[in-house]
Amino acid sequence: MDLGTRLVAAAADLVDSRFPGRDWAGAAAMALDDGTLLTSTAPEVVNPAVELCHEVGALCEAYRIGRPVVASVCVVRADQGRGFWVLSPCGVCQERLRFYGPGVEVAVPEANAPALWRMVTLGELQPHWWATVFDGEPI
Ligand SMILES: [Zn+2]
């Protein structure tokens, strides 16, 4: 099983175990450079203005243990609970993941077929990333 498939399965497993029976729920999974897989989900909050992305928990854990992230996926349960769709990382998560370089792989859905997905690098996802004006390095 390739890394992307393992990550999607890990994120879907977290959704199934943490939110059984819920129609709409999501989770993320990340792979680190040593092969470790981390999963996380967004905590529920009262005020939507303070919501976090599903990726944040895994990203913070990777940083805590000092291991680079090499791949990331985010999934949501869809189709009335019959399957999962892959969500591209939002712009903020793209910025967070970019700390680990343009080679980080992320899952993206196929257009008009969100149950189908593929892995692309951040460099492919955002070829005009703002810091490329500085030779690809952040300020
Ligand atoms: Zn995000």
Side-chain angles (χ1 to χ4, degrees):
M1 185 183 301
D2 65 70
L3 179 58
T5 302
R6 288 176 45 219
L7 288 172
V8 168
D13 285 348
L14 174 56
V15 172
D16 285 339
S17 64
R18 179 65 180 81
F19 307 107
R22 189 182 296 181
D23 282 346
W24 185 257
M30 292 185 186
L32 308 183
D33 69 331
D34 66 352
T36 300
L37 299 188
L38 302 173
T39 61
S40 60
T41 188
E44 294 178 70
V45 295
V46 175
N47 181 348
V50 298
E51 288 180 341
L52 296 171
C53 298
H54 296 300
E55 291 96 329
V56 173
L59 193 65
C60 288
E61 179 65 8
Y63 191 78
R64 186 191 69 80
I65 63 177
R67 305 295 324 189
V69 174
V70 298
S72 177
V73 307
C74 182
V75 305
V76 292
R77 185 183 282 135
D79 292 334
Q80 289 80 41
R82 292 189 298 266
F84 287 91
W85 290 352
V86 163
L87 301 180
S88 300
C90 77
V92 174
C93 285
Q94 289 179 40
E95 285 294 323
R96 293 169 175 150
L97 290 165
R98 194 71 187 227
F99 176 75
Y100 297 108
V104 173
E105 292 184 285
V106 297
V108 297
E110 297 295 343
N112 303 316
L116 303 176
W117 55 272
R118 62 190 165 104
M119 299 299 282
V120 300
T121 65
L122 285 176
E124 294 168 326
L125 185 62
Q126 44 180 209
H128 304 286
W129 183 53
W130 65 272
T132 56
V133 70
F134 304 105
D135 293 325
E137 296 298 323
I139 302 171

